[in-house]
Structures are given as structure tokens and as C-alpha cells.
Amino acid sequence: MTTRRSLLLASAGLAAPAIATAQTYRPEYKLSVVGNRPIPFAEGAFQWAELVTQRSGGRINVRVYPGSQLVGGDQTRELLAMRQGVIDMCVFSTINIAPQVREAGVFQLPFLMPDHRAFDALINGEVGRDIMQVMDGRDVVGLAFGENGFREISNSRRAIRTPADLRGLKIRFAAGAIFNDIFTGMGANPLQMSFADLQPALSSGAVDGQENPVNLFLAFRMDTLAQRHMTIWNYVNDALIFGVSKSVWNSFNAEDQALLRDCAREAAANNIRLARAGLGIPGTDDAALQELRRRNVEVTVLSAEEKRAFAQALRPVHERWASRIGTGLVQKAEAAIRALS
């Protein structure tokens, strides 16, 4: 009897950790993202949540909170909110976190990345690994890089083909003092505001223009907000980070951590494919650019020589910010891009 009782107690003791682990899983995990479907940025977040929820059999129930609603629409507060426990998971824009994570600003150096091959070289190479290590030090486990897309500039007043064409234009930017320097350096009047405030500002004429990926311009019908001119200049590309709060990550067992990572990578790959669709780059058609023209938007596609004129005008901005971001990291980025030639 004593032996049987001892075995039962031992079995109960062995079972206890598994039960305790299961009890740490919450009824819901909150995932924050800027914007909403159908833009590729938000689509990546929704797909990640759906994949995790489905493949875990509902044990890990992830709910997306679009429009950065958990931080009152202010996307620049998402990183702080995650560290405070308000947000469990997030698809971060590197633009929005760069004021707090200076290394993420490498993607905002003007005209650093000439094309998507250059962008891929950064996120898939040493630069990407370094940035993920920095995020880990900020209590965020980065699982995958996605892409919001190259940011093009639109406005209500005129075509932009040279730096001088920006003179006097009121241009909205999302976050980061580097954007203030970029547009000030070309004689524009930059204004920082959240995406939630952008559409009414365009509609009322409070700002003349904005810079965002083509897919977002089309999804939010900015052509109906007096944006009649679009310049394809690829001046920066907004990398996305699919991240989980470190404390939340540590609450999952190894198998579920692998599940979260695999789902993030799959959703990020789909996000990148959607972000590049219709832009006329290798492997896609130019349906998005044709749709702009169908909506009576004048599309100006800059040549390599015209882009160099902008890059030259902004060289002082590049040099000033390279030292702030980290000279070593910027040199790694430049070397990775040169290696593609």
C-alpha cells in the first residue's frame, strides 16, 4: 500500500509541471498593427495571428488589434506598450520604432537601397541579424522581417522630378527626426502626424503631400484626397519586424515557440510578396502603377540619374544620421549592397 501510494504521489508530482505550464497560456494574446486589411502590412499581421491560432488548435489564441488601437492610434508608442505589457505581439514598422531603436534607422537612410535586391540583402544578412539582437535587448524577440514597401511621394500641387520641386511643399511624415531632416534639406515643410490624422489633413489641404508605399495609397484612395501627382523614387523602404514580447515568448514551451516562429516567417513571406505585387519589378506586373494612372494620377518614375541627384542633395543628411545609427552597422549595409554589383 505504501509503495502504491508513493507511486501515485510521484506521478502526480510529474504531472504538475505540465498542468502548470498549460495554465500559463492566456485566453487571448493581443497583436498590434498599424492600419487594417487589405494593405499588405496589416495582412501580414492577420495571417500570422490566424496561422498561430489554427495550428495550435486554439491553445494560442491571437487577436489582431488593427489601427494601433491599443495605443490610441499612435503607432510610435507600440514598442513602449509592449514593454509595459499592453501588447503581446506586434508587426512593427522600423520607421515607428527607430526613434527608440536607433539601429532600425538604417532602413531610413535616404537612397541607401536602390532596389528590392538591396533590401533583401540587408534583412537576410548580417544587418538583419544585428538588428534582431538589438531588439532582444529591448525585451522583444524578433521572429521575421517583412516589408511595408518602398515609400513613394505624392502631392496635390505638381510633379516631383528634382529636389527643387519639393520646395515649399507641406509633406506629412510618420515618425523620426531623420524625415524632418530629409524634407527640410530639400526645402519642403515637413509635418509629423499619425496615419489616423493623415487622411483628414490631406482632405482639408492642411498638408500638400505624403510618402507611403503605392499599395497603401491605392487602398486608402488617396487619389480622392487631392493627391494627383505620384513620384516613384524609392528613397527608403520600411522594413517590418514580426515581434513577440520576451516575457510572453518565455511563457511558451519550445514546441510552441517554434510554431510561432514558423508562422511568423510564413506570414512575413506572404506579406513581402503582396507588398511587391503590381510594381513592375522582376517577377511582377505593373498593375498597381497602371491603376494609379487609371485614377488620373500623374506617375513620374525617376531614372537612376535623377535619383542620384536626390541622393547627392541629401548626402549631408546621410552622413549625419549614419553616425547616429551606428557607423559600423551602416558600413555593413553599404558593403552588402556593393556586393550585389
Side-chain angles (χ1 to χ4, degrees):
M1 180 68 69
T2 303
T3 301
R4 183 183 176 193
R5 184 170 180 272
S6 298
L7 288 171
L8 287 171
L9 288 172
S11 298
L14 289 172
I19 294 171
T21 300
Q23 289 173 340
T24 65
Y25 284 39
R26 304 175 190 170
E28 174 186 290
Y29 291 91
K30 296 179 173 62
L31 195 165
S32 180
V33 69
V34 179
N36 205 341
R37 277 172 159 162
I39 63 171
F41 188 160
E43 188 65 36
F46 277 96
Q47 287 190 12
W48 184 24
E50 289 162 0
L51 287 170
V52 171
T53 302
Q54 291 166 6
R55 292 180 184 175
S56 69
R59 288 181 301 102
I60 306 174
N61 177 37
V62 183
R63 177 182 173 186
V64 179
Y65 288 80
S68 301
Q69 61 185 273
L70 294 173
V71 287
D74 183 356
Q75 63 262 38
T76 65
R77 293 173 50 213
E78 286 177 322
L79 179 59
L80 176 61
M82 176 175 282
R83 300 186 74 182
Q84 292 174 334
V86 175
I87 292 171
D88 303 312
M89 305 175 188
C90 188
V91 179
F92 294 105
S93 157
T94 49
I95 287 176
N96 293 333
I97 65 173
Q100 302 136 56
V101 182
R102 61 183 177 85
E103 293 85 354
V106 70
F107 296 103
Q108 289 99 62
L109 285 173
F111 298 97
L112 171 68
M113 299 166 286
D115 52 31
H116 288 90
R117 289 176 65 240
F119 176 80
D120 289 344
L122 299 194
I123 65 171
N124 295 323
E126 194 173 356
V127 169
R129 291 191 293 273
D130 285 356
I131 291 173
M132 289 304 197
Q133 288 179 359
V134 171
M135 294 299 292
D136 187 75
R138 303 299 179 88
D139 301 322
V140 176
V141 179
L143 303 181
F145 277 107
E147 179 183 351
N148 193 15
F150 275 106
R151 299 178 78 86
E152 319 300 3
I153 189 164
S154 71
N155 77 98
S156 60
R157 292 173 57 182
R158 55 179 174 265
I160 295 172
R161 191 174 286 278
T162 70
D165 293 327
L166 274 155
R167 196 165 295 145
L169 294 183
K170 293 174 288 185
I171 304 294
R172 173 266 183 181
F173 67 98
I178 188 171
F179 291 99
N180 187 77
D181 288 358
I182 288 170
F183 290 106
T184 299
M186 293 183 288
N189 298 319
L191 300 167
Q192 182 178 355
M193 63 180 65
S194 70
F195 187 78
D197 294 330
L198 171 60
Q199 288 168 287
L202 291 175
S203 183
S204 67
V207 296
D208 298 311
Q210 59 86 48
E211 45 80 63
N212 261 305
V214 170
N215 66 72
L216 191 146
F217 182 102
L218 290 171
F220 287 92
R221 296 302 309 244
M222 291 186 185
D223 53 291
T224 66
L225 302 174
Q227 297 299 284
R228 310 309 311 165
H229 308 278
M230 167 76 79
T231 294
I232 307 299
W233 63 345
N234 290 8
Y235 86 121
V236 300
N237 194 328
D238 184 13
L240 308 178
I241 295 176
F242 288 61
V244 182
S245 160
K246 187 181 287 188
S247 63
V248 171
W249 177 257
N250 290 337
S251 73
F252 295 128
N253 61 39
E255 292 77 14
D256 286 333
Q257 287 177 349
L259 184 150
L260 278 168
R261 189 182 300 278
D262 289 345
C263 291
R265 289 176 174 173
E266 183 174 336
N270 287 335
N271 150 251
I272 289 174
R273 178 180 55 80
L274 290 172
R276 299 179 183 182
L279 297 178
I281 62 175
T284 75
D285 56 34
D286 65 347
L289 302 184
Q290 292 301 329
E291 178 63 15
L292 286 171
R293 295 184 177 103
R294 191 188 69 78
R295 297 185 189 182
N296 296 316
V297 176
E298 179 186 11
V299 179
T300 301
V301 180
L302 298 189
S303 67
E305 184 177 353
E306 288 170 323
K307 291 178 185 177
R308 280 194 290 272
F310 281 92
Q312 184 62 35
L314 293 171
R315 190 63 194 176
V317 175
H318 175 101
E319 292 176 353
R320 182 162 60 251
W321 279 90
S323 63
R324 297 181 186 181
I325 292 164
T327 302
L329 183 65
V330 173
Q331 289 175 343
K332 288 179 183 179
E334 292 172 335
I337 293 169
R338 282 196 305 270
L340 298 173
S341 301

